[in-house]
Amino acid sequence: MEQKLTIEQIQNFKGKYPKQLWYLFFSEMWERFSFYGMRGMLVIFMVNQLMMNDEVANLQYGATQAFVYAFTFVGGLFADKILGYRKSLFWGGILMIVGSVILAIDPKQFFFIGIGFTIIGTGFFKPNISTMVGKLYKDDDNRRDAGFSLFYAGVNLGALIGGYLCIAVANGNMLSSIVPLHLRWNVAFGFASIVMIISLLTFVQTQKSLGEIGLSPLLDLESSKKKTYEYLTYIGSILVIPVIILLVSNSKYTDIFMYIIGPCSLLYLLYEMKNFSLKENKKLIAALVFILFSIVFWAFFEQSGGSLSLFAASNLENTVLGIKLDPNGVNNSANSLFVIAFAALVGLVWLWMSKRKIEPNTVVKFGLGFLFLAGGFWIFYYTKFFADANGITSLDLFTFGWFVITFGELCLSPIGMSIMTKLSPAKLQAVMMGMWFLASAYGQYFAGLLGANIAVASENATNVEKLMVYADGYKQLAIYALIAGLLLIVISPWVKKLMQEVK
């Protein structure tokens, strides 16, 4: 019966959430466990195991994460034109499993090979599951934002567990009596592979409930021709992995790639815009405003995997409210914990304001996101006034900084995914979702550059001097975030006009 569901039947669901959202929630939750578990280990692994200096590790981190998100644009494009969302997601999941298994076997020797598979896999997986969430709702369904907020909670539940567990095991702060010292990193990467298998099995077992959603756009073609296009996509994605390994392992090549992929994606969008009306194109321009500002937001926010990881390792205590915790684990997972705890509350606040007709529009919400981001980085800066003689400062205060930043993320990220689906024409939704994640790629890329600059300034410094350099760097980021937020609020009336009826 479930196979025969039409999109109309799915979208006419009763209650707050469609049942299919829960299936996608759990698939995404386990995939994000894998992704954030690996992400939280990268810089520490590169410094402690591959013996890179802090500057190189930051650049490599930025390059790795930039390629992960850049290929979501490519994955969205192939899903729209050839594979469909489902096959794209499945193929991406297979590649991610292969990559994490390679890392679990020998992370030192096969580091960049495993990363190469993971990058291409995430590119096929990530944008398409988000797009399928959007397809569960009619265009004018006001329950869409609530659906994306729940989906975002799944993202963060996976990030919370994976972000803490993997690095804590690798550092010997969890399961140290079970996992031998020489296998800690193997086991930590192994967790990522196991949960990715769970993610893919969850999707495979529940995809029939999606009806027509996510099927191949080439169903009208004869079977042999359709399969040819699909097999060429699979083969091409494997053949490109050695190229990705070369690009990621050399940050100079990453620079060249990032100079090319962004302008090319914009040119492609301009090419597609000629097929749409002026009204639709105005909405696409509004979407680009959100995309450009999100680059700045993620460049600052994603210090979490780069400079803040090194800051946590060298300059933070190991207790929160008297409880002994891994500082890197806290850095990786505190934000996710706060998202889970407060996402529903923020949603209720928006509903309360909406009933009283005082809810800020989406652009102003984005601006508020930057103001909270500025507040959090100001707190990171302020930790220097609580340091001891060895340059070790308060993990409590650092965690509070993440508490403040979380409200900034809740003003921006779940709403951002939703607004991309609202502002995009149906035929361009996966591409626009890919561009949303491509903005994250540029954010990650610039995050690596910012982190590397901080690392250069603190090279050969004592731990106290390093603390001061990092803290002063975070003060600068706080100021820039404040300026960006105020600018967004100022231009919000103009962007609101471009968005037309979309709220």
Side-chain angles (χ1 to χ4, degrees), residues 63 80 90 427 454:
D80 266 347
F90 182 79
K427 292 181 180 179
I454 295 172

Side-chain angles (χ1 to χ4, degrees), residues 444-462:
Q444 300 279 0
Y445 173 67
F446 290 124
L449 295 178
L450 290 169
N453 287 336
I454 295 172
V456 168
S458 64
E459 197 171 355
N460 301 320
T462 66

Side-chain angles (χ1 to χ4, degrees), residues 130-197:
S130 303
T131 306
M132 281 192 280
V133 171
K135 294 287 186 185
L136 299 176
Y137 296 87
K138 293 179 180 177
D139 291 341
D140 59 351
D141 194 332
N142 59 12
R143 295 172 293 182
R144 182 187 294 239
D145 280 0
F148 269 99
S149 292
L150 177 64
F151 182 70
Y152 203 62
V155 170
N156 282 277
L157 183 57
L160 167 65
I161 304 168
Y164 190 89
L165 178 66
C166 292
I167 192 63
V169 169
N171 284 338
N173 291 319
M174 277 188 75
L175 307 180
S176 58
S177 60
I178 301 172
V179 181
L181 177 63
H182 69 286
L183 290 178
R184 283 176 183 170
W185 287 100
N186 304 72
V187 171
F189 282 114
F191 279 128
S193 62
I194 292 167
V195 297
M196 195 58 230
I197 292 170

